[in-house]
Amino acid sequence: VLLSRIAHLEAASAAAARQHESQIRDLVDKHEAEIKGKEERFADLAAKRANEHRVSLKRQKDAYGELLTKRNEEHRREVRGLKDQLEGVEERQRVFLESYVEASLDALARVRDGDEL
């Protein structure tokens, strides 16, 4: 009777150990699933933040490009205006020098001819 009682207790103990082991495995699986879910959420958030950062950088780059284009166009207009002014000065100088040379030649011719200035 004692041996059968011991055998029965051993069987009950083994069954309890298997049940406990099964519960532990279930808890481990549950925690692993939670960890995996948190890792996936973290990866999604990291990807979302990286995308937001990329979009923000692109917007900043585009805005800076537009600013540079605008400044370049302003400088181009300014240079064009300065070139126009320079051409005007050169034209006035040319006309002045032509007039001066013409007047000088006329004066020289009069001096040669004996005319008074």
Side-chain angles (χ1 to χ4, degrees):
V1 169
L2 188 56
L3 285 177
S4 72
R5 181 85 172 128
I6 291 174
H8 178 65
L9 287 176
E10 284 178 350
S13 177
R18 283 191 298 276
Q19 183 180 6
H20 183 67
E21 193 176 302
S22 175
Q23 289 172 343
I24 289 174
R25 260 188 261 123
D26 290 345
L27 280 174
V28 168
D29 291 345
K30 176 184 170 190
H31 289 295
E32 284 177 347
E34 287 177 9
I35 290 170
K36 184 177 180 181
K38 287 180 182 180
E39 287 174 341
E40 288 172 355
R41 285 192 300 277
F42 178 78
D44 289 345
L45 283 174
K48 181 180 176 185
R49 294 287 185 246
N51 187 50
E52 289 171 354
H53 183 67
R54 184 184 54 75
V55 168
S56 174
L57 286 176
K58 184 176 181 342
R59 283 188 191 134
Q60 290 175 8
K61 181 181 175 184
D62 290 347
Y64 186 67
E66 289 175 15
L67 176 68
L68 289 179
T69 300
K70 182 179 176 183
R71 283 191 179 169
N72 192 30
E73 185 57 37
E74 289 170 359
H75 290 162
R76 189 176 290 122
R77 282 193 300 270
E78 185 178 339
V79 167
R80 216 176 297 128
L82 291 172
K83 283 182 178 179
D84 291 344
Q85 288 178 5
L86 182 60
E87 287 175 3
V89 168
E90 289 172 344
E91 179 62 21
R92 285 190 297 279
Q93 283 179 332
R94 186 187 61 74
V95 169
F96 170 77
L97 288 174
E98 285 176 357
S99 297
Y100 179 78
V101 167
E102 209 174 291
S104 296
L105 290 174
D106 286 347
L108 185 61
R110 275 189 245 131
V111 167
R112 282 189 189 152
D113 293 343
D115 293 341
E116 291 184 24
L117 294 176

